Amino acid sequence: VQLQASGGGLVQAGGSLRLSCAAAGRTFSGYTVGWFRQAPGKEREFVAGIRASGGNTYHADSVKGRFTISRDNAKKTVYLQMSSLKPEDTAVYYCAADANIILSSMRRSSAYKVWGQGTQVTVSS
């Protein structure tokens, strides 16, 4: 599977954006998908993840209540709805996928084999 992330941009604090991660490939529905972000000078961090069925979702504490991950397997797309954005959310956001991630590894970037190219999100104060 190949991934392409989109939807980033410049937004004021308190605003919203929706990121999309579109997949090419026949077996996308069997993949766990994660969103990660990396700010300048910082390590890549887990933001949210969703299991293949879409029934189980996980969010980092820093975004819980503000961001929501979802997926539409028919459209081969995973979304990250971001609301109440803060300047500290500024980063390049990446989506990643893997078909064989166990739950305990979901928050580790090294567990994912397939990565999209990243989309920049900038939140101004």
Side-chain angles (χ1 to χ4, degrees), residues 56-85:
N56 295 319
T57 61
Y58 306 87
H59 298 81
D61 288 343
S62 59
V63 307
K64 215 169 276 186
R66 300 188 298 122
F67 292 11
T68 302
I69 190 171
S70 63
R71 70 190 296 161
D72 185 336
N73 284 334
K75 294 183 178 180
K76 297 182 182 179
T77 302
V78 170
Y79 304 99
L80 184 68
Q81 178 67 47
M82 307 187 295
S83 303
S84 303
L85 283 160

Side-chain angles (χ1 to χ4, degrees), residues 91-115:
V92 177
Y93 283 70
Y94 300 89
C95 59
D98 197 277
N100 298 296
I101 292 184
I102 59 175
L103 186 56
S104 59
S105 299
M106 182 179 246
R107 297 170 188 261
R108 296 211 308 262
S109 59
S110 59
Y112 295 78
K113 292 186 179 62
V114 182
W115 288 82

Side-chain angles (χ1 to χ4, degrees), residues 4-6 25 29 36 53 76 79-80 101 107 122:
Q4 182 161 354
S6 62
S29 60
F36 292 79
S53 66
K76 297 182 182 179
Y79 304 99
L80 184 68
I101 292 184
R107 297 170 188 261
T122 303

